[in-house]
Amino acid sequence: MRADRLVSLVLLLRRHGRLSAAALSRELEVSTRTVLRDIEALSAAGVPVYAERGRHGGFALLPGFRTELTGLNHDEALALLVAGSRRGAQAFGLGSALASAMLKVVDALPESHRDTAAGAAGRLLVDPETDLLSRRPADEEVSDAIAAEVLRAVFAGHRLRIHYAAVDQTPRWRTVDPIGLVTVRDRGYLLATRSGADRTYRLSRLLAAEELSEPAQRPDRVDLDRAWQERSTRFRTGGDQVTVLVRVDPARREDLVGTALAVHAEEADPDGRLRLEVTFQDPRHAEWALWQLATNAEALAPQWLRDSLRDRATAIATRYGVPP
């Protein structure tokens, strides 16, 4: 880890020219004391880093010093920089490695391409943290230690022992054969088999993980995209699904359809509203989806859903009918 950090430190100084110890500690996510020790180690290794005193001082490299990396043209570096802006690496615990790699990409460019590629990448934003309605994605925290164990087992083809907290169940240990990793909307999933049966585990629900020495029982080659599609289909067609008849304002149709599992029928009513027959994962999912649309949608059937939405609305009206 320290060798990677030293390389990142050099590349940061190459990129910015001069940085204070505090700025370097923020970039490298270490203490200022660690930064100072790293600077001493670089100097001892012959890297021409020096300190500038004063209010605007900091650490810098002697002019002309650079690591010798070649082979990337402008468009290739731009593609990597834009790809590196995605947060999917965070789901697999690779955020710090990605940041270090991006520094190396920039430093690998010829002088004539470096500023233009970095500037062009700065004009492209992929998967921002909030959308136009200021909604933030749900945080999916995966510890670096757990992510490292899972990655090692997946890449080495070894079995994996995990302490997993399934929804509404007591956490327990399982031994699985890892197949691959998938990230969807910044959520990481482990695709595996257990006793020969397909299993999918959300990484954020792993409480601990341990790579075993035994080889995993899995095919030599795998089509992860196809495997994910098959598992997604099984998930959508299982469980306590409910089908609902809904009238919805055309302006909110996409909001409704975007939360449903499937749309089976659709027609326009004389007043311009749309009448849809849609399926949700379970009763709770159906109630949540219709509640989000307020008066822009009306559940026509089944009756239990109408009763549930009415009771919820009555409770809200009662609560706000009393002065605070």
Side-chain angles (χ1 to χ4, degrees):
M1 285 296 292
R2 191 188 186 195
D4 290 341
R5 192 174 67 243
L6 293 176
V7 172
S8 294
L9 195 157
V10 171
L11 294 176
L12 282 168
L13 294 179
R14 281 279 309 146
R15 178 69 181 150
H16 297 283
R18 180 174 61 247
L19 288 172
S20 67
L24 286 168
S25 70
R26 287 193 299 270
E27 291 284 349
L28 299 171
E29 299 181 350
V30 296
S31 66
T32 54
R33 180 177 298 180
T34 297
V35 168
L36 295 176
R37 286 200 298 264
D38 288 348
I39 293 291
E40 291 180 3
L42 289 173
S43 296
V47 177
V49 58
Y50 67 97
E52 290 186 353
R53 307 292 180 184
R55 180 180 178 183
H56 301 292
F59 296 100
L61 296 168
L62 288 177
F65 177 81
R66 66 169 292 151
T67 52
E68 293 300 326
L69 298 173
T70 59
L72 287 175
N73 62 35
H74 175 275
D75 289 341
E76 291 169 340
L78 175 59
L80 287 173
L81 288 169
V82 172
S85 69
R86 299 182 65 88
R87 299 191 306 276
Q90 300 292 343
F92 300 142
L94 294 173
S96 59
L98 178 62
S100 176
M102 289 303 100
L103 284 171
K104 295 176 182 178
V105 168
V106 173
D107 199 71
L109 287 171
E111 193 76 32
S112 59
H113 293 332
R114 193 176 308 136
D115 291 338
T116 56
R123 296 182 181 277
L124 301 173
L125 178 61
V126 181
D127 286 344
E129 291 189 1
T130 60
D131 62 16
L132 288 176
L133 299 178
S134 297
R135 295 175 299 197
R136 298 179 63 86
D139 290 333
E140 290 278 316
E141 295 293 335
V142 183
S143 78
D144 291 343
I146 291 176
E149 286 291 315
V150 173
L151 284 170
R152 279 196 292 268
V154 170
F155 294 151
H158 290 166
R159 304 191 84 185
L160 184 67
R161 189 166 177 260
I162 59 175
H163 194 210
Y164 190 72
V167 178
D168 298 329
Q169 294 184 23
T170 301
R172 62 189 182 88
W173 288 94
R174 300 166 167 84
T175 298
V176 302
D177 296 297
I179 293 175
L181 292 164
V182 175
T183 177
V184 181
R185 298 185 181 92
D186 299 325
R187 292 179 177 178
Y189 297 89
L190 168 67
L191 271 58
T193 60
R194 183 161 61 91
S195 301
D198 288 345
R199 293 288 185 269
T200 303
Y201 303 99
R202 187 181 294 188
L203 294 184
S204 61
R205 292 179 181 157
L206 266 63
L207 306 179
E210 177 187 358
E211 179 193 9
L212 304 179
S213 59
E214 311 167 48
Q217 301 299 310
R218 66 181 192 182
D220 293 333
R221 301 177 65 86
V222 62
D223 184 341
L224 271 186
D225 185 62
R226 180 177 178 181
W228 179 256
Q229 292 295 333
E230 290 174 349
R231 294 183 188 209
S232 298
T233 299
R234 286 199 297 271
F235 175 79
R236 289 194 300 269
T237 56
D240 303 320
Q241 294 184 5
V242 294
T243 299
V244 178
L245 184 61
V246 182
R247 267 172 42 92
V248 63
D249 186 324
R252 302 301 300 275
R253 178 191 180 279
E254 294 307 315
D255 294 326
L256 174 67
V257 172
T259 61
L261 295 182
V263 178
H264 304 290
E266 179 176 350
E267 63 181 15
D269 280 349
D271 63 358
R273 287 212 161 195
L274 300 175
R275 187 178 294 247
L276 286 81
E277 184 179 346
V278 294
T279 295
F280 293 100
Q281 185 65 39
D282 52 36
R284 184 179 176 185
H285 180 198
E287 182 179 345
W288 173 86
L290 271 296
W291 183 258
Q292 306 307 306
L293 297 176
T295 58
N296 291 303
E298 177 188 1
L300 302 178
Q303 186 61 42
W304 63 260
L305 180 56
R306 291 179 59 85
D307 294 343
S308 180
L309 290 169
R310 182 200 60 226
D311 293 345
R312 177 185 280 204
T314 300
I316 291 290
T318 300
R319 171 64 58 85
Y320 286 99
V322 179

